[in-house]
Amino acid sequence: MTVAVITDSAAALPRALQHELDIGVVPILLTVDGNEVADDALEPHELLAAGTLSTAAPSPGAFARAVRERQSADGVVVLTLSEKLSSCHRAAVLGAREAGGSTIVVDTANAAGGQALAAHAAAVAARDGASLTEVAAIARRVAARVRLLGVLGGLEQLVRSGRIPPMAGWAGDRLGVRPMFDVHDGRIRRLLPSRNAESAHRRMLEQARHNRPPTVRALHVAAVHAGAPDDAKSVLAAVTAEWEPATAFIGGFGGALVATAGVGVSGLAWWWETPEDRR
């Protein structure tokens, strides 16, 4: 038996990796034209064709059920979307309390690829026999170190969701602006825009180089996207052309993130493992 690892569906974990590392995923609730559907039930373009689209964090009861199903003498670690972006973390804390047993809830202060890499590191540690406190500590360390940079496909969904005024969205799309962002300290921060995905991807690699510590044991990366698999493949190919990552995978956004960011999003999440991390 090993420590069980659970996360929510904001983590851009490919399904094959979920199965390989036995990571439980609690789905974020998605309502499309008044009907509740699974977070991964529809393709990104189908979601945005809906008349109304809304999301909600999983209930404490959903987290409680997931914890009970996976609970063992070794315990459970639950990794959540940043509590500054969603109520997922609070729901997970309440759910773990309701379920009882040995459970540690970790706020990854991240989303998408950053959250996925933290869950991946925790699950690998659990598989290798780490204790409950060790798995939680590894999840926190990776969550604190991981970086995530992304580029939007356009401004349509930000206008639709009311996050920017229609005039600003129209002007941005006319100018061909591709807004960039990073996730830092649990918040999404706007960066200077790029003209296209290629220039955005170059900036992502530049940041990864700049972020590299003096001594490195391994690189772990996740290329993420919302309806833009070719862009994710392109940025991952650029990474593997320069380095040999110990971890490298492509993950698609769930419906909840598509509802926020729209389609055409691509990004890169990474963390550098140092020799001290294995001591």
Side-chain angles (χ1 to χ4, degrees):
M1 297 176 70
T2 60
V3 174
V5 174
I6 296 171
T7 189
D8 57 67
S9 60
L13 277 168
R15 193 173 297 276
L17 200 57
Q18 295 174 29
H19 291 312
E20 177 187 340
L21 294 174
D22 196 23
I23 300 172
V25 177
V26 180
I28 292 175
L29 304 177
L30 190 63
T31 302
V32 180
D33 291 335
N35 299 309
E36 190 171 296
V37 301
D39 194 34
D40 61 352
L42 298 174
E43 293 297 321
H45 290 86
E46 294 177 302
L47 284 174
L48 297 188
T52 60
L53 181 62
S54 63
T55 65
S59 67
F63 279 108
R65 287 190 294 274
V67 169
R68 288 193 193 102
E69 289 171 0
R70 304 294 300 278
Q71 189 63 265
S72 71
D74 293 302
V76 180
V77 172
V78 183
L79 292 86
T80 70
L81 172 65
S82 168
E83 66 175 344
K84 295 177 181 177
L85 300 176
S86 166
S87 59
C88 278
H89 181 74
R90 178 63 178 164
V93 170
L94 293 174
R97 189 178 303 161
E98 177 185 335
S102 300
T103 304
I104 298 176
V105 181
V106 176
D107 174 13
T108 67
N110 232 288
Q115 184 179 348
L117 285 173
H120 175 273
V124 169
R127 182 193 62 189
D128 292 345
S131 69
L132 178 64
T133 55
E134 288 170 339
V135 171
I138 288 167
R140 291 191 184 100
R141 182 169 68 236
V142 174
R145 194 176 300 175
V146 71
R147 295 288 308 277
L148 169 62
L149 268 68
V151 59
L152 299 183
L155 298 172
E156 177 183 356
Q157 186 59 16
L158 294 183
V159 172
R160 182 181 179 185
S161 63
R163 288 177 171 83
I164 64 172
M167 185 59 70
W170 177 84
D173 284 340
R174 289 277 293 180
L175 294 171
V177 169
R178 298 289 299 271
M180 290 193 67
F181 64 90
D182 74 358
V183 180
H184 177 67
D185 192 27
R187 300 183 189 278
I188 299 174
R189 183 175 59 134
R190 295 180 184 178
L191 303 176
L192 291 173
S194 289
R195 281 292 187 178
N196 52 52
E198 291 75 16
S199 63
H201 294 167
R202 286 194 294 271
R203 284 171 60 184
M204 293 172 197
L205 263 67
E206 289 169 4
Q207 282 297 313
R209 295 186 198 102
H210 179 72
N211 183 240
R212 177 175 178 161
T215 56
V216 170
R217 180 184 178 90
L219 172 64
H220 305 268
V221 298
V224 295
H225 71 93
D230 289 343
D231 284 348
K233 291 175 184 176
S234 176
V235 71
L236 187 59
V239 170
T240 56
E242 184 165 344
W243 300 296
E244 295 183 9
T247 304
F249 59 85
I250 293 174
F253 279 16
L257 293 183
V258 172
T260 299
V263 297
V265 181
S266 59
L268 182 70
W270 73 89
W271 71 280
W272 292 99
E273 182 181 343
T274 67
E276 291 75 15
D277 291 321
R278 293 297 180 92
R279 292 177 183 173

